[in-house]
């Protein structure tokens, strides 16, 4: 297996409105970092464009529809 096959691409967003930043609180029962605050983030699926993945993970984690800047 090549080194590239072991890589995972992650995308994250900093979403601001005026002087406020969106943070999400993980579930208290989450497997990783329960109850912790984080930026909207997630894995990029194989073959998925990173900016489209960013829009998807923000929607999946927050319900917001965003357009990633290009």
């Amino acid at each position: 297996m090549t080194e590239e096959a072991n890589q995972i691409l992650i995308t994250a967003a900093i979403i601001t409105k005026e002087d406020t930043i969106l943070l999400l609180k993980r579930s208290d029962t989450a497997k990783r970092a329960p109850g912790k605050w984080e930026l909207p983030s997630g894995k990029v699926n194989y073959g998925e464009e990173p900016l489209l993945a960013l829009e998807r993970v923000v929607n999946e984690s927050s319900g917001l529809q965003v357009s990633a800047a290009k």
Side-chain angles (χ1 to χ4, degrees):
M1 186 174 278
T2 66
E3 182 177 326
E4 291 81 19
N6 292 323
Q7 294 178 353
I8 298 172
L9 184 59
I10 302 293
T11 187
I14 298 174
I15 299 174
T16 62
K17 184 176 181 179
E18 298 173 7
D19 62 348
T20 303
I21 297 174
L22 176 68
L23 294 175
L24 303 174
K25 186 175 183 189
R26 296 182 64 81
S27 164
D28 288 333
T29 59
K31 291 180 182 179
R32 185 183 59 80
K36 300 292 182 180
W37 292 89
E38 64 183 1
L39 296 169
S41 61
K43 293 179 184 177
V44 177
N45 295 325
Y46 180 79
E48 187 176 25
E49 292 291 327
L51 289 177
L52 293 177
L54 181 62
E55 293 172 358
R56 176 185 55 77
V57 299
V58 168
N59 181 259
E60 289 174 354
S61 61
S62 70
L64 297 174
Q65 294 289 329
V66 298
S67 178
K70 296 182 180 176

